[in-house]
Amino acid sequence: MSETSSAPASKTPLWSPSDERVSRSAMRTFLDTVNRAYGLELNTYDDLYTWSISHIPDFWRTIFCEAEIRRSAPFESVVENLDTMPGTKWFPGARLNFAENLLRFRDDREALVAWREDKSVQRITYRELYDEVSRLTKALKKLGVSKGDRVAGYLPNGVHAVVAMLASTSLGAIWSSGSPDFGVQGATDRFGQIEPKVLFCADGYLYNGKTFDRLGHAEEISKNIGSIKHIIVVPFVEKRADLSRLPEAVHYDDLIADEAPGDIDFVQTPADHPVYILYSSGTTGVPKCIVHGAIGVLLQHYKELHLHTDVNRDTSIFYFTTCGWMMWNWLVSSLMLGARTVLFDGSPFYPGPEILWEMAEKEKLTVFGTSAKYLSALEDSGLKPCEKFDLEPLKVICSTGSPLARKSFHYVYRDIKKDVQLSSIAGGTDIISCFMLGNPMLPVYEEELQCRGLGMKVEAFDDEGKGVIGREGELVCTAPAPSMPVFFWNDPDMKKYKAAYFDVYPGVWRHGDFVVIGENGGVVMHGRSDATLNPGGVRIGTAEIYNQLEPMSEIQDSLVIGQKWEDDERVVLFVVLAPGVEFSAELEKTIRTRIRSNASPRHVPAKIIPVEAIPYTRNGKKVEVAVRKLIHGRPVKNREALANPESLDLYVDMEALKS
């Protein structure tokens, strides 16, 4: 019988690992390592998790050793100021280089396989990757790039993006990337704050069968950001684009033409030296620049990829992401484990919904990562991958971006693959990793994230700031973790940082989500707490309403917000109707009855309003907060953070909300 936590008697697993899979998992091996190292008798994941959050220095020391972190100087201690958050310092004294740890392999196994929507594929081995990075590192050094400089990437998700990141961080520079589908203002709002010395830009990109030029954007971005001294243009849609309008630009191939491959002189830095700058979604203002340090990224990603996802040298791992989402950074860390890392750039539905599954079959993917929104859209497309593709190697499907609906859990096991670990994971840009995620030792239950991550002291706080089990509460982390940001850019007094995470519970990280932590250790997400509904003083998570709409074929999409009304708050539901469906009194009654019966009378919207579109971030998250601001007459800044910013106009001065 495989090892599990005690589950509620009323729930039946959708999937359980075999005894063999449990025994061969990296998680089980790690548990045995901990037992030997510390003279313990831990048996289950619950035992291991409890130990990891009760003995935090021992846990992270063990991860550091298991990850075989390459460093030029040893650490003096595992952690300083463990009881102070923010203010904790990890592995002081250690000196290392981030890129050196990702480039530890130099053999002839495939390192990167980059697909595009036109089905062209680029392959590069670990030896070739190292050599390419060495050439670009020399070229960047000649351009004056050095430790602490910022290098920005305005690039599609391909080999060049990974090489540029590794070359930059090998010099101790700080990498920051964004997707080329960001407009000029969106890129300027982000990169302008960090003042990069170098901008990597593709000549264009492909999406949904169309070609989009980006040299014009690069020209405008460089005019907006005076710090950019060099633009390096990588070929994506042309072999050699005309750069006459960009006098400071150089073709990537020309830049490295005279550089011979060789050993890289990796610049050594303190363990927490910044390597990545990521950005908040920016739907409520100019994006915050979130700075992540080398050791936090390395240790957290090693733990999540190797232990929680079972990634190793035999793994072929893919995540559908752009270079502007933290899942790109997470995916690229698979290089540290010697995995075969598969990239994709383009539309996941062009020329049809089969494209990613054709890739999965051909590349023999063992880990397939995507978003909840994609799985829902895939089901709506009618595709049943299990009937068309050989997915025998596939072991894990990861989903993140928003809570995974109950129907999507069943869709995966019914129409994609029965014997697969469905890992619904949740964390964010803020920690460039996860608070809750999958586990090869545990079963999968509908709607649940399998477990809290090792070393992450995650709790659900009630209104009084006390931890609760089995009841909805605010997602918090009550102890530091290495991947929490080292600081925000241009925030010298840490004012923005503290306001973002510690304004509600001093000394405790508040993440901004409602969750229920079950007796079995599983976690159910209930939507963003900063978009919480509060009619009559009763807090309601928006996910509870969305769950009732998911099975309704008449409803294609929806969004719920709270509107201030007559000294109270009323619930407003916006719905996008399925093609051919008309809004009627009968449909409205059906919606209300369903919500009242399956949730509660408090959940029933005061208003149900049909709209043409729901606004989403580029990462597939509904922007409830932005719509709430609009209907209350407040402006929404930085519309460039949205995938469909024009949809916001639908919610301005709505007549239906005036009565």
Side-chain angles (χ1 to χ4, degrees), residues 456-470:
M456 309 300 284
K457 200 170 184 180
V458 172
E459 299 184 53
F461 271 13
D462 64 13
D463 290 338
E464 298 178 355
K466 296 180 180 178
V468 295
I469 297 292

Side-chain angles (χ1 to χ4, degrees), residues 27 30 33-34 37-38 45 48-69 71 75 77-82 85 88-92 94 96 271 293-308 330 336 431-435 437 452-458 477-484:
M27 185 72 80
F30 181 75
T33 297
V34 170
Y38 297 97
Y45 179 76
L48 181 61
Y49 173 74
T50 300
W51 174 81
S52 75
I53 61 172
S54 304
H55 300 79
I56 290 175
D58 288 341
F59 169 72
W60 287 110
R61 179 190 291 109
T62 307
I63 292 291
F64 189 100
C65 295
E66 287 293 299
E68 298 180 346
I69 297 297
R71 71 275 194 188
F75 57 83
S77 62
V78 173
V79 59
E80 291 179 354
N81 302 322
L82 183 60
M85 190 163 49
T88 308
K89 191 173 181 66
W90 295 93
F91 296 94
L96 51 86
I295 195 62
V297 176
L298 290 171
L299 295 183
Q300 191 77 308
H301 288 183
Y302 172 87
K303 178 200 75 178
E304 296 186 350
L305 288 161
H306 187 52
L307 302 185
H308 285 275
W330 190 86
M336 172 173 47
I431 60 169
I432 202 168
S433 55
C434 304
F435 283 119
L437 61 169
R452 291 168 283 181
L454 290 175
M456 309 300 284
K457 200 170 184 180
V458 172
C477 195
T478 58
S483 64
M484 290 175 178

Side-chain angles (χ1 to χ4, degrees), residues 371-442:
S371 66
K373 183 180 178 183
Y374 169 79
L375 288 173
S376 178
L378 190 69
E379 182 178 12
D380 290 344
S381 77
L383 182 68
K384 299 181 179 182
C386 67
E387 296 180 356
K388 299 190 67 173
F389 301 99
D390 177 8
L391 302 177
E392 178 60 30
L394 188 61
K395 294 182 177 180
V396 181
I397 294 176
C398 292
S399 171
T400 191
S402 57
L404 189 61
R406 179 188 292 112
K407 69 167 190 162
S408 293
F409 275 85
H410 290 279
Y411 170 67
V412 166
Y413 286 104
R414 183 185 67 244
D415 295 331
I416 299 180
K417 191 176 183 185
K418 292 181 179 179
D419 184 18
V420 70
Q421 177 193 339
L422 177 55
S423 297
S424 181
I425 62 180
T429 298
D430 314 82
I431 60 169
I432 202 168
S433 55
C434 304
F435 283 119
M436 293 83 62
L437 61 169
N439 191 321
M441 290 176 62
L442 299 178

Side-chain angles (χ1 to χ4, degrees), residues 20 57 82 92 176 213 267 272 276 337 353 355-356 359 368-369 407 431 463 526 539 547 549 551 581 600 608 610 652:
E20 180 185 10
L82 183 60
S176 186
D213 172 76
V267 174
D272 61 356
Y276 287 141
L337 291 157
I355 179 68
L356 295 186
M359 182 186 72
F368 183 104
K407 69 167 190 162
I431 60 169
D463 290 338
H526 281 270
R539 297 198 311 181
N547 288 343
L549 302 177
V581 175
S600 80
I608 302 177
V652 176

Side-chain angles (χ1 to χ4, degrees), residues 163-232:
V163 171
M165 180 277 288
L166 291 169
S168 300
T169 54
S170 75
L171 291 167
I174 308 168
W175 176 258
S176 186
S177 57
S179 172
D181 60 358
F182 273 113
V184 171
Q185 191 60 50
T188 301
D189 285 347
R190 287 158 175 76
F191 298 150
Q193 295 184 71
I194 66 170
E195 299 178 300
K197 180 180 287 186
V198 176
L199 174 69
F200 281 87
C201 176
D203 53 7
Y205 70 97
L206 307 175
Y207 195 84
N208 206 31
K210 298 178 181 179
T211 300
F212 296 86
D213 172 76
R214 274 303 172 261
L215 293 181
H217 281 53
E219 181 182 14
E220 293 186 55
I221 292 167
S222 65
K223 289 179 180 177
N224 294 340
I225 304 175
S227 64
I228 296 175
K229 305 302 180 186
H230 308 279
I231 298 175
I232 301 170

